[in-house]
Amino acid sequence: MRTISNRQRRIELIVRLIKNRCISSQEQLIELLAENGCEVSQGTLSRDLRTLNTIKVPTERGLSMYVLPESDSLKDKLLSGSQTPKANFQRGFLSLSISGNMAVIKTRNGYASGLAFDIDSAKSPEILGTIPGADTIFAVLREDVTPSRAREIFSSILHIEETEGITDANDSKG
């Protein structure tokens, strides 16, 4: 019989709460943990959140929320709030430009890290890595990735139409 430690139980509860709720602060999470019979200090919670590699990303309401790596809960929560065809605008995507093996993704202010997280989590072998700023993501592609393939990859990861805000910086059509 396996014994589960208090820490393990607390971590499992934190994961369940983050996956099922839109939690915007450590104070809110501490209250939810207490409601579930788990008293925790802010310092301990901070360490637990670091251990879980949680990140905070902006929501469509201008707030922020915790998400876990490799989790679709962010996409589910953000997209469930709206049935409009502009869900990608609410996710923050504005445009994508491709030049050689570089892609520049413009986002609403504050959304770049969340979308870069989505791109990196997709683990596409054609994308070597991303660097997010506040409203721009630089993505480095493998040398052999064509612009059309890059458009397909980003369209799939970001759930956008291939013609929606995507340009080829080398395209003379402008």
Side-chain angles (χ1 to χ4, degrees), residues 100-131:
N101 73 325
M102 290 289 296
V104 177
I105 301 159
K106 292 298 211 172
T107 72
R108 291 173 57 198
N109 191 34
Y111 283 73
S113 65
L115 289 177
F117 174 81
D118 288 347
I119 294 166
D120 291 335
S121 293
K123 296 185 177 166
S124 172
E126 292 98 343
I127 301 173
L128 300 177
T130 61
I131 303 171

Side-chain angles (χ1 to χ4, degrees), residues 98-100 141 145-152 162 166 168 170:
I98 300 165
S99 179
L141 305 166
V145 176
T146 64
S148 65
R149 177 65 183 139
R151 283 190 289 277
E152 289 173 18
E162 282 197 48
I166 300 176
D168 183 346
N170 294 324

Side-chain angles (χ1 to χ4, degrees), residues 68-101:
L68 298 164
E70 305 297 320
S71 171
D72 284 334
S73 63
L74 168 65
K75 292 175 190 169
D76 295 343
K77 287 176 189 174
L78 290 178
L79 295 176
S80 68
S82 171
Q83 299 301 325
T84 65
K86 287 295 179 186
N88 295 310
F89 178 72
Q90 291 180 353
R91 289 191 62 226
F93 173 83
L94 296 177
S95 68
L96 166 67
S97 297
I98 300 165
S99 179
N101 73 325

Side-chain angles (χ1 to χ4, degrees), residues 14 18-19 21-26 29 45-46 48-59 63-71 73-75 77-78 91 110-121 130 132:
I14 290 169
I18 289 174
K19 283 185 175 181
R21 306 279 300 261
C22 187
I23 300 171
S24 61
S25 69
Q26 287 189 12
L29 187 51
L45 179 59
S46 288
D48 289 346
L49 292 172
R50 261 193 314 277
T51 298
L52 291 168
N53 293 319
T54 59
I55 60 171
K56 280 181 98 171
V57 297
T59 67
L63 303 172
S64 58
M65 65 181 238
Y66 287 104
V67 294
L68 298 164
E70 305 297 320
S71 171
S73 63
L74 168 65
K75 292 175 190 169
K77 287 176 189 174
L78 290 178
R91 289 191 62 226
Y111 283 73
S113 65
L115 289 177
F117 174 81
D118 288 347
I119 294 166
D120 291 335
S121 293
T130 61

